[in-house]
Coordinates of all heavy atoms in Angstrom, one line a residue:
M142 N 0.8 -1.2 0.0 CA 0.0 0.0 0.0 C 0.9 1.2 0.0 O 0.5 2.2 -0.7 CB -0.9 0.0 1.2 CG -2.0 -1.0 1.1 SD -3.1 -1.2 2.6 CE -3.8 0.4 2.5
I143 N 2.0 1.2 0.8 CA 2.9 2.4 0.8 C 3.5 2.6 -0.6 O 3.5 3.8 -1.1 CB 3.9 2.2 1.9 CG1 3.2 2.3 3.2 CG2 4.9 3.3 1.7 CD1 4.2 2.1 4.4
K144 N 3.9 1.6 -1.3 CA 4.5 1.8 -2.6 C 3.6 2.3 -3.6 O 4.0 2.9 -4.6 CB 5.1 0.4 -3.0 CG 6.3 0.0 -2.2 CD 6.9 -1.3 -2.7 CE 8.1 -1.7 -1.9 NZ 8.7 -3.0 -2.3
E145 N 2.3 2.1 -3.4 CA 1.3 2.5 -4.4 C 0.7 3.9 -4.0 O -0.3 4.3 -4.5 CB 0.2 1.6 -4.6 CG 0.3 0.6 -5.6 CD 1.2 -0.6 -5.2 OE1 0.9 -1.2 -4.2 OE2 2.2 -0.9 -5.8
D146 N 1.3 4.6 -3.0 CA 0.9 5.9 -2.5 C -0.5 5.8 -1.9 O -1.3 6.8 -2.1 CB 1.0 7.0 -3.5 CG 2.5 7.5 -3.7 OD1 3.3 7.2 -2.8 OD2 2.8 7.9 -4.8
E147 N -0.9 4.7 -1.3 CA -2.2 4.6 -0.8 C -2.3 4.8 0.7 O -3.2 4.6 1.3 CB -2.8 3.1 -1.1 CG -3.0 2.9 -2.5 CD -3.4 1.4 -2.8 OE1 -3.6 0.6 -1.8 OE2 -3.6 1.1 -3.9
V148 N -1.1 5.2 1.3 CA -1.1 5.5 2.7 C -0.7 6.9 2.9 O 0.2 7.5 2.2 CB 0.1 4.6 3.4 CG1 0.2 5.0 4.9 CG2 -0.3 3.1 3.2
V149 N -1.5 7.6 3.8 CA -1.2 9.0 4.1 C -1.1 9.1 5.7 O -1.5 8.1 6.3 CB -2.3 9.9 3.6 CG1 -2.3 9.9 2.1 CG2 -3.7 9.6 4.2
I150 N -0.6 10.2 6.2 CA -0.5 10.3 7.6 C -1.0 11.8 8.0 O -0.9 12.7 7.1 CB 0.9 10.1 8.1 CG1 0.9 9.9 9.6 CG2 1.8 11.2 7.6 CD1 2.2 9.3 10.1
C151 N -1.5 11.9 9.1 CA -2.0 13.2 9.6 C -1.2 13.5 10.9 O -0.5 12.5 11.5 CB -3.5 13.3 9.9 SG -4.0 12.1 11.2
G152 N -1.2 14.7 11.4 CA -0.4 15.1 12.6 C -0.8 14.2 13.8 O 0.0 13.9 14.6
Y153 N -2.1 13.9 14.0 CA -2.6 13.2 15.1 C -1.8 11.8 15.1 O -1.4 11.4 16.2 CB -4.1 13.0 15.1 CG -4.6 12.4 16.4 CD1 -5.0 13.2 17.5 CD2 -4.7 11.1 16.6 CE1 -5.5 12.7 18.7 CE2 -5.1 10.5 17.8 CZ -5.5 11.4 18.8 OH -5.9 10.8 20.0
T154 N -1.9 11.2 14.0 CA -1.3 9.8 14.0 C 0.2 9.8 14.1 O 0.8 9.0 14.8 CB -1.7 9.1 12.6 OG1 -3.1 9.1 12.5 CG2 -1.2 7.8 12.6
L155 N 0.8 10.9 13.5 CA 2.3 11.0 13.6 C 2.7 11.2 15.1 O 3.6 10.5 15.6 CB 2.7 12.3 12.8 CG 4.2 12.7 12.8 CD1 5.0 11.6 12.1 CD2 4.4 14.0 12.2
A156 N 2.0 12.0 15.8 CA 2.3 12.2 17.3 C 2.0 11.0 18.0 O 2.8 10.6 19.0 CB 1.5 13.4 17.8
E157 N 0.9 10.3 17.8 CA 0.5 9.1 18.6 C 1.5 8.0 18.4 O 2.0 7.4 19.3 CB -0.9 8.6 18.0 CG -1.4 7.5 18.8 CD -2.0 7.8 20.2 OE1 -2.3 8.9 20.5 OE2 -1.9 6.9 21.1
V158 N 2.0 7.8 17.2 CA 2.9 6.7 16.9 C 4.3 7.1 17.6 O 4.9 6.3 18.3 CB 3.1 6.5 15.4 CG1 4.3 5.6 15.1 CG2 1.9 5.9 14.8
L159 N 4.8 8.2 17.3 CA 6.1 8.7 17.9 C 6.1 8.8 19.4 O 7.1 8.6 20.0 CB 6.5 10.0 17.2 CG 6.8 9.9 15.7 CD1 7.1 11.3 15.1 CD2 7.9 8.9 15.4
S160 N 5.0 9.1 20.0 CA 5.0 9.2 21.4 C 5.3 7.9 22.2 O 5.6 8.0 23.4 CB 3.7 9.9 21.9 OG 2.6 9.0 21.7
G161 N 5.1 6.8 21.5 CA 5.3 5.6 22.2 C 6.7 5.0 22.0 O 7.0 4.0 22.6
I162 N 7.5 5.6 21.3 CA 8.9 5.2 21.0 C 9.8 5.4 22.3 O 9.7 6.6 22.8 CB 9.5 5.8 19.8 CG1 8.5 5.6 18.6 CG2 10.9 5.3 19.5 CD1 8.3 4.1 18.3
K163 N 10.6 4.5 22.6 CA 11.5 4.7 23.8 C 12.9 5.0 23.5 O 13.6 5.6 24.3 CB 11.5 3.4 24.6 CG 10.0 2.9 25.0 CD 9.6 3.6 26.3 CE 8.3 3.1 26.8 NZ 7.1 3.8 26.5
E164 N 13.4 4.6 22.4 CA 14.8 4.8 22.0 C 15.0 5.8 20.9 O 14.2 5.8 19.9 CB 15.4 3.4 21.5 CG 15.4 2.3 22.5 CD 15.7 0.9 22.0 OE1 16.1 0.9 20.8 OE2 15.7 0.0 22.7
R165 N 16.0 6.7 21.0 CA 16.3 7.7 20.1 C 16.4 7.2 18.7 O 15.9 7.8 17.7 CB 17.4 8.6 20.5 CG 17.7 9.7 19.6 CD 18.8 10.7 20.1 NE 18.5 11.4 21.3 CZ 17.7 12.4 21.4 NH1 17.1 12.9 20.2 NH2 17.4 13.0 22.5
E166 N 17.3 6.2 18.5 CA 17.5 5.7 17.1 C 16.3 5.3 16.4 O 16.0 5.6 15.2 CB 18.5 4.6 17.2 CG 19.0 4.1 15.8 CD 20.0 3.0 15.9 OE1 20.7 2.9 16.9 OE2 20.1 2.3 14.9
T167 N 15.4 4.5 17.1 CA 14.2 4.1 16.6 C 13.3 5.3 16.3 O 12.6 5.3 15.2 CB 13.5 3.2 17.6 OG1 14.3 2.1 17.9 CG2 12.2 2.6 17.1
F168 N 13.2 6.3 17.2 CA 12.4 7.4 17.0 C 12.9 8.1 15.7 O 12.0 8.5 14.9 CB 12.6 8.4 18.2 CG 11.8 9.6 18.1 CD1 10.4 9.7 18.6 CD2 12.2 10.8 17.4 CE1 9.7 10.8 18.5 CE2 11.5 11.9 17.3 CZ 10.2 11.9 17.9
E169 N 14.1 8.3 15.5 CA 14.6 9.1 14.4 C 14.4 8.3 13.1 O 13.9 8.9 12.1 CB 16.2 9.3 14.5 CG 16.6 10.1 15.6 CD 16.1 11.6 15.5 OE1 15.9 12.1 14.4 OE2 16.0 12.3 16.6
K170 N 14.5 7.0 13.0 CA 14.3 6.2 11.8 C 12.8 6.2 11.5 O 12.4 6.4 10.4 CB 14.7 4.7 12.1 CG 16.2 4.5 12.0 CD 16.6 3.1 12.2 CE 18.1 2.9 12.1 NZ 18.4 1.5 12.3
L171 N 12.0 6.0 12.5 CA 10.5 6.1 12.3 C 10.0 7.4 11.8 O 9.2 7.5 10.9 CB 9.8 5.6 13.5 CG 8.3 5.3 13.5 CD1 8.0 4.3 12.3 CD2 7.8 4.8 14.7
L172 N 10.5 8.5 12.5 CA 10.2 9.8 12.0 C 10.5 10.0 10.6 O 9.7 10.6 9.8 CB 10.9 10.8 12.9 CG 10.7 12.3 12.5 CD1 9.2 12.7 12.6 CD2 11.5 13.3 13.4
K173 N 11.7 9.7 10.2 CA 12.1 9.8 8.8 C 11.1 9.1 7.9 O 10.7 9.6 6.8 CB 13.5 9.3 8.6 CG 14.1 9.5 7.2 CD 15.5 9.0 7.1 CE 16.0 9.2 5.7 NZ 17.4 8.7 5.5
G174 N 10.8 7.9 8.2 CA 9.9 7.1 7.3 C 8.5 7.7 7.3 O 7.9 7.7 6.2
L175 N 8.0 8.1 8.4 CA 6.7 8.7 8.5 C 6.5 10.0 7.7 O 5.6 10.3 7.1 CB 6.2 8.9 9.9 CG 5.9 7.6 10.7 CD1 5.7 7.9 12.2 CD2 4.9 6.8 10.1
L176 N 7.6 10.8 7.8 CA 7.6 12.1 7.0 C 7.7 11.9 5.6 O 7.4 12.8 4.8 CB 8.8 13.0 7.5 CG 8.7 13.5 8.9 CD1 9.9 14.3 9.4 CD2 7.4 14.4 9.1
A177 N 8.1 10.7 5.1 CA 8.1 10.4 3.7 C 6.7 10.1 3.1 O 6.4 10.3 1.9 CB 9.0 9.2 3.4
L178 N 5.8 9.9 4.0 CA 4.3 9.7 3.6 C 3.6 11.0 3.3 O 4.0 12.0 3.8 CB 3.6 9.0 4.7 CG 4.0 7.6 5.1 CD1 3.3 7.2 6.3 CD2 3.8 6.7 4.0
P179 N 2.7 10.9 2.3 CA 1.9 12.2 2.1 C 1.2 12.6 3.4 O 0.7 11.7 4.1 CB 0.9 11.7 1.0 CG 1.6 10.5 0.3 CD 2.4 9.9 1.5
Y180 N 1.2 13.8 3.6 CA 0.6 14.4 4.8 C -0.8 15.0 4.6 O -0.9 15.8 3.6 CB 1.5 15.5 5.4 CG 1.1 16.0 6.8 CD1 1.4 15.3 7.9 CD2 0.3 17.2 6.9 CE1 1.0 15.8 9.2 CE2 -0.1 17.7 8.1 CZ 0.2 17.0 9.2 OH -0.1 17.5 10.5
V181 N -1.7 14.7 5.4 CA -3.1 15.2 5.2 C -3.4 16.1 6.5 O -3.2 15.6 7.7 CB -4.1 14.1 5.2 CG1 -5.5 14.7 5.1 CG2 -3.9 13.3 3.9
E182 N -3.8 17.3 6.3 CA -4.1 18.2 7.4 C -5.5 17.9 7.9 O -6.4 17.6 7.1 CB -4.0 19.7 6.9 CG -4.0 20.6 8.0 CD -2.8 20.6 8.9 OE1 -1.6 20.6 8.4 OE2 -2.9 20.5 10.1
I183 N -5.6 18.0 9.2 CA -7.0 17.9 9.9 C -7.5 19.3 9.9 O -7.0 20.1 10.7 CB -6.9 17.2 11.3 CG1 -6.3 15.8 11.1 CG2 -8.3 17.2 11.9 CD1 -6.2 15.1 12.5
E184 N -8.6 19.6 9.2 CA -9.2 20.9 9.1 C -10.2 21.1 10.3 O -10.7 20.2 10.9 CB -9.8 21.1 7.8 CG -8.9 20.8 6.5 CD -7.9 21.8 6.4 OE1 -8.0 23.0 6.9 OE2 -6.8 21.5 5.8
K185 N -10.6 22.4 10.5 CA -11.5 22.7 11.5 C -12.9 21.9 11.3 O -13.4 21.4 12.2 CB -11.8 24.2 11.5 CG -12.8 24.6 12.5 CD -13.0 26.1 12.7 CE -13.0 27.0 11.4 NZ -13.2 28.4 11.6
E186 N -13.2 21.8 10.0 CA -14.5 21.1 9.7 C -14.4 19.6 10.1 O -15.4 19.0 10.5 CB -14.8 21.2 8.2 CG -15.2 22.6 7.8 CD -13.9 23.5 7.6 OE1 -12.8 23.0 7.4 OE2 -14.1 24.7 7.6
D187 N -13.2 19.0 9.9 CA -13.1 17.6 10.4 C -13.3 17.5 11.9 O -13.9 16.5 12.3 CB -11.7 17.2 10.0 CG -11.4 17.1 8.5 OD1 -12.3 16.8 7.8 OD2 -10.2 17.5 8.2
W188 N -12.8 18.4 12.7 CA -13.0 18.4 14.1 C -14.4 18.6 14.5 O -15.0 17.9 15.4 CB -12.1 19.5 14.8 CG -10.7 19.2 14.7 CD1 -9.7 19.9 14.0 CD2 -9.9 18.2 15.5 NE1 -8.5 19.4 14.2 CE2 -8.6 18.4 15.1 CE3 -10.3 17.3 16.4 CZ2 -7.6 17.6 15.6 CZ3 -9.3 16.5 16.9 CH2 -7.9 16.6 16.5
I189 N -15.1 19.5 13.8 CA -16.5 19.7 14.0 C -17.4 18.5 13.7 O -18.2 18.1 14.5 CB -17.0 20.9 13.2 CG1 -16.4 22.2 13.8 CG2 -18.6 21.0 13.3 CD1 -16.6 23.4 12.9
E190 N -17.1 17.9 12.5 CA -17.9 16.7 12.2 C -17.6 15.5 13.1 O -18.4 14.7 13.4 CB -17.5 16.3 10.7 CG -18.1 17.3 9.7 CD -19.6 17.5 9.8 OE1 -20.3 16.5 9.9 OE2 -20.0 18.6 9.8
A191 N -16.3 15.4 13.6 CA -16.0 14.3 14.6 C -16.8 14.6 15.9 O -17.3 13.6 16.4 CB -14.5 14.3 14.8
S192 N -16.9 15.8 16.3 CA -17.7 16.1 17.5 C -19.1 15.8 17.3 O -19.7 15.3 18.2 CB -17.5 17.6 17.9 OG -16.2 17.9 18.1
K193 N -19.7 16.1 16.1 CA -21.0 15.7 15.8 C -21.3 14.2 15.9 O -22.2 13.7 16.4 CB -21.5 16.3 14.4 CG -21.6 17.7 14.4 CD -22.0 18.2 13.0 CE -22.1 19.7 12.9 NZ -22.5 20.0 11.5
L194 N -20.3 13.5 15.3 CA -20.4 12.0 15.3 C -20.4 11.5 16.7 O -21.2 10.6 17.1 CB -19.2 11.4 14.6 CG -19.1 9.9 14.4 CD1 -20.3 9.4 13.6 CD2 -17.8 9.5 13.8
I195 N -19.5 11.9 17.6 CA -19.4 11.5 19.0 C -20.7 11.9 19.7 O -21.3 11.0 20.4 CB -18.3 12.2 19.7 CG1 -16.9 11.7 19.2 CG2 -18.4 12.0 21.2 CD1 -15.7 12.4 19.6
F196 N -21.3 13.1 19.4 CA -22.6 13.5 20.1 C -23.6 12.5 19.7 O -24.4 12.1 20.5 CB -22.9 15.0 19.7 CG -24.2 15.4 20.1 CD1 -24.4 15.8 21.5 CD2 -25.3 15.5 19.3 CE1 -25.6 16.2 21.9 CE2 -26.5 15.8 19.7 CZ -26.7 16.2 21.1
E197 N -23.7 12.3 18.4 CA -24.8 11.4 17.8 C -24.8 10.0 18.5 O -25.8 9.5 18.9 CB -24.8 11.3 16.4 CG -25.2 12.6 15.7 CD -24.9 12.6 14.2 OE1 -24.4 11.6 13.6 OE2 -25.1 13.7 13.6
H198 N -23.5 9.5 18.7 CA -23.5 8.2 19.2 C -23.7 8.3 20.8 O -24.3 7.3 21.3 CB -22.0 7.6 18.9 CG -22.0 6.9 17.6 ND1 -21.9 7.7 16.4 CD2 -21.9 5.6 17.2 CE1 -21.9 6.9 15.4 NE2 -21.9 5.6 15.9
Q199 N -23.3 9.3 21.4 CA -23.6 9.4 22.8 C -25.1 9.4 23.1 O -25.6 8.9 24.1 CB -23.0 10.7 23.4 CG -21.5 10.6 23.6 CD -20.9 11.9 24.1 OE1 -21.4 13.0 23.8 NE2 -19.7 11.8 24.6
Q200 N -25.8 10.1 22.2 CA -27.3 10.1 22.3 C -27.9 8.7 22.2 O -29.0 8.5 22.8 CB -28.0 11.0 21.2 CG -27.5 12.4 21.3 CD -28.0 13.0 22.6 OE1 -29.2 13.1 22.9 NE2 -27.0 13.6 23.4
K201 N -27.2 7.8 21.6 CA -27.6 6.4 21.5 C -27.0 5.5 22.6 O -27.2 4.3 22.6 CB -27.2 5.8 20.1 CG -27.9 6.6 19.0 CD -27.3 6.0 17.7 CE -27.8 6.8 16.5 NZ -27.2 6.4 15.2
G202 N -26.3 6.1 23.5 CA -25.7 5.4 24.6 C -24.3 4.8 24.2 O -23.9 3.9 25.0
K203 N -23.7 5.1 23.2 CA -22.5 4.5 22.7 C -21.4 5.6 22.9 O -21.6 6.7 22.7 CB -22.5 4.1 21.2 CG -23.6 3.0 21.0 CD -23.7 2.7 19.5 CE -24.7 1.6 19.3 NZ -24.8 1.3 17.9
Q204 N -20.2 5.1 23.2 CA -19.0 6.0 23.4 C -18.1 5.7 22.2 O -17.8 4.5 21.9 CB -18.3 5.7 24.7 CG -19.2 6.0 25.9 CD -19.5 7.5 26.0 OE1 -18.7 8.4 25.8 NE2 -20.7 7.8 26.4
I205 N -17.6 6.8 21.6 CA -16.5 6.7 20.6 C -15.4 7.5 21.0 O -15.5 8.8 21.4 CB -17.0 7.2 19.2 CG1 -18.3 6.4 18.8 CG2 -16.0 7.2 18.2 CD1 -18.9 7.0 17.5
P206 N -14.2 7.0 21.0 CA -13.0 7.8 21.4 C -12.8 8.9 20.3 O -12.9 8.7 19.1 CB -11.9 6.8 21.4 CG -12.5 5.4 21.4 CD -13.8 5.6 20.9
L207 N -12.3 10.0 20.8 CA -12.0 11.2 19.9 C -11.1 10.8 18.8 O -11.4 11.2 17.6 CB -11.5 12.3 20.7 CG -11.1 13.5 19.9 CD1 -12.2 14.1 19.1 CD2 -10.4 14.6 20.7
E208 N -10.1 10.1 19.1 CA -9.1 9.7 18.0 C -9.7 8.9 16.9 O -9.4 9.1 15.7 CB -7.9 9.0 18.6 CG -8.2 7.7 19.3 CD -8.4 7.8 20.8 OE1 -8.8 8.9 21.2 OE2 -8.4 6.7 21.5
L209 N -10.7 8.0 17.2 CA -11.3 7.2 16.2 C -12.3 8.1 15.4 O -12.4 8.0 14.2 CB -12.0 6.0 16.8 CG -11.1 4.9 17.2 CD1 -11.9 3.8 17.8 CD2 -10.2 4.4 16.1
A210 N -13.0 9.0 16.1 CA -14.0 9.9 15.4 C -13.3 10.8 14.5 O -13.7 11.0 13.3 CB -14.8 10.6 16.4
I211 N -12.1 11.3 14.9 CA -11.5 12.3 13.9 C -10.8 11.6 12.8 O -10.9 12.1 11.7 CB -10.4 13.2 14.8 CG1 -9.9 14.4 13.9 CG2 -9.2 12.4 15.2 CD1 -11.0 15.3 13.5
L212 N -10.3 10.5 13.0 CA -9.7 9.7 11.9 C -10.7 9.2 11.0 O -10.7 9.2 9.7 CB -8.8 8.5 12.4 CG -7.6 9.0 13.1 CD1 -6.9 7.7 13.7 CD2 -6.7 9.8 12.3
H213 N -11.9 8.8 11.5 CA -13.0 8.4 10.6 C -13.5 9.6 9.8 O -13.8 9.4 8.6 CB -14.2 7.9 11.6 CG -15.4 7.5 10.8 ND1 -15.5 6.4 10.1 CD2 -16.6 8.3 10.6 CE1 -16.7 6.4 9.5 NE2 -17.4 7.5 9.9
M214 N -13.7 10.7 10.4 CA -14.2 11.9 9.6 C -13.1 12.4 8.6 O -13.5 12.7 7.5 CB -14.5 13.0 10.6 CG -15.7 12.8 11.5 SD -17.2 11.9 10.8 CE -17.7 13.1 9.6
L215 N -11.9 12.3 9.0 CA -10.8 12.7 8.0 C -10.9 11.7 6.9 O -10.7 12.1 5.7 CB -9.5 12.6 8.8 CG -8.3 13.0 7.9 CD1 -8.4 14.4 7.5 CD2 -7.0 12.8 8.7
S216 N -11.0 10.4 7.1 CA -11.0 9.5 6.0 C -12.2 9.6 5.1 O -12.1 9.5 3.8 CB -10.9 8.0 6.5 OG -12.1 7.7 7.2
N217 N -13.4 10.0 5.7 CA -14.5 10.1 4.9 C -14.4 11.4 4.0 O -14.8 11.5 2.9 CB -15.8 10.2 5.8 CG -16.2 8.9 6.3 OD1 -15.8 7.9 5.7 ND2 -17.2 8.9 7.1
G218 N -14.0 12.5 4.7 CA -14.0 13.8 4.0 C -13.0 13.9 2.9 O -13.1 14.6 1.9
K219 N -11.9 13.1 3.1 CA -10.8 13.1 2.1 C -10.8 11.9 1.1 O -9.9 11.8 0.3 CB -9.4 13.2 2.8 CG -9.3 14.2 3.8 CD -9.3 15.6 3.3 CE -9.0 16.6 4.4 NZ -9.5 17.9 4.3
K220 N -11.8 11.1 1.3 CA -12.0 9.9 0.5 C -10.8 8.9 0.6 O -10.3 8.3 -0.3 CB -12.1 10.2 -1.0 CG -13.2 11.3 -1.3 CD -14.5 10.7 -0.9 CE -15.7 11.6 -1.4 NZ -16.4 12.2 -0.4
F221 N -10.4 8.7 1.9 CA -9.4 7.7 2.2 C -10.0 6.6 3.0 O -11.1 6.8 3.6 CB -8.3 8.3 3.1 CG -7.5 9.5 2.5 CD1 -7.5 10.7 3.2 CD2 -6.9 9.3 1.3 CE1 -6.8 11.7 2.7 CE2 -6.2 10.4 0.8 CZ -6.1 11.6 1.4
N222 N -9.4 5.5 2.9 CA -9.8 4.4 3.7 C -9.1 4.4 5.1 O -7.9 4.5 5.1 CB -9.6 3.0 3.0 CG -10.4 2.8 1.8 OD1 -11.6 3.2 1.8 ND2 -9.9 2.3 0.8
L223 N -9.8 4.2 6.1 CA -9.2 4.1 7.5 C -9.0 2.6 7.8 O -10.0 1.8 7.8 CB -10.2 4.7 8.5 CG -9.7 4.6 9.9 CD1 -8.4 5.4 10.2 CD2 -10.8 5.3 10.8
L224 N -7.8 2.3 8.1 CA -7.5 0.9 8.5 C -7.3 0.9 10.0 O -6.6 1.6 10.6 CB -6.1 0.5 7.9 CG -6.1 0.5 6.3 CD1 -4.7 0.1 5.8 CD2 -7.2 -0.4 5.7
S225 N -8.2 0.1 10.6 CA -8.2 0.0 12.0 C -8.7 -1.4 12.4 O -9.5 -2.0 11.8 CB -9.1 1.0 12.6 OG -9.3 0.8 14.0
K226 N -8.1 -2.0 13.5 CA -8.6 -3.3 14.0 C -10.0 -3.0 14.7 O -10.7 -4.0 15.0 CB -7.6 -3.8 15.0 CG -6.3 -4.3 14.3 CD -5.4 -4.8 15.3 CE -4.1 -5.3 14.6 NZ -3.1 -5.8 15.6
I227 N -10.3 -1.8 15.1 CA -11.5 -1.5 15.9 C -12.6 -1.1 15.0 O -12.4 -0.1 14.2 CB -11.2 -0.4 17.0 CG1 -10.1 -0.8 17.9 CG2 -12.5 0.0 17.7 CD1 -9.6 0.3 18.7
Q228 N -13.6 -1.8 15.0 CA -14.8 -1.5 14.1 C -16.0 -1.1 15.0 O -16.8 -1.9 15.3 CB -15.2 -2.7 13.2 CG -14.0 -3.1 12.3 CD -13.7 -2.0 11.3 OE1 -14.6 -1.4 10.7 NE2 -12.5 -1.9 10.9
I229 N -16.1 0.2 15.3 CA -17.2 0.7 16.1 C -18.1 1.7 15.3 O -19.1 2.1 15.8 CB -16.8 1.3 17.4 CG1 -15.9 2.5 17.2 CG2 -16.1 0.3 18.3 CD1 -15.6 3.3 18.5
L230 N -17.7 2.1 14.2 CA -18.4 3.1 13.4 C -19.0 2.5 12.2 O -18.6 1.6 11.6 CB -17.5 4.3 13.0 CG -16.7 5.0 14.1 CD1 -15.7 5.9 13.6 CD2 -17.7 5.7 15.0

C-alpha cells in the first residue's frame, strides 16, 4: 500500500505513533519514514464533524474515542480508507 501511495498520515497519527517510542535511534528512523508519507491536514471542519459523530453516538448510549472519530471523519472527507482493528463506526 505504501509503494502505491495509498497510505497517508496526519499530525494526530504522527504524534500518537512517535510518542510511544522509547529509543532515540528508533524514533529518528521512524520519524524519517513517516515524514516520507503524504501528509493530510486535519481541518476545522473535520474536528466539528468528529464532534457531531461523537454527540450522535452518545445520544444512542455509545461511546466513541475522539481519536477514532477524527480519523473516521478525516478518511470520509478526504476519500481515504481508514485501516483499524477496531470497528465501532
